[in-house]
Amino acid sequence: MVGLLKITGLVELAVCDSLHEKPDVKTLEEQLQGGQIEEVILQAENKLSLGRKMVQWEPRESLAEEPPANQWKWLT
């Protein structure tokens, strides 16, 4: 955000100065209703990181052994 003064007020979260298309940050934050744009970027990076890990973990593979018959009983 060249020429703009912004402080996130969040520990260890720097102001993003390299937005892709340089949108109006204030309007974007209001539209997203997800906090400051830096928080939204951090959340997106965390989701991307988790997605990459899940590809490695292969969570959709079959279980190594069948779960007990009443394991999920409390959900019903």
Side-chain angles (χ1 to χ4, degrees), residues 67-76:
N70 62 353
Q71 180 173 349
W72 308 110
K73 186 176 182 177
W74 62 275
L75 290 175
T76 59

Side-chain angles (χ1 to χ4, degrees), residues 22-39:
K22 303 289 184 191
D24 177 22
V25 175
K26 196 71 168 165
T27 302
L28 186 58
E29 288 175 347
E30 290 171 4
Q31 289 175 345
L32 292 174
Q33 297 180 352
Q36 297 184 44
I37 194 65
E38 291 81 6
E39 292 176 289

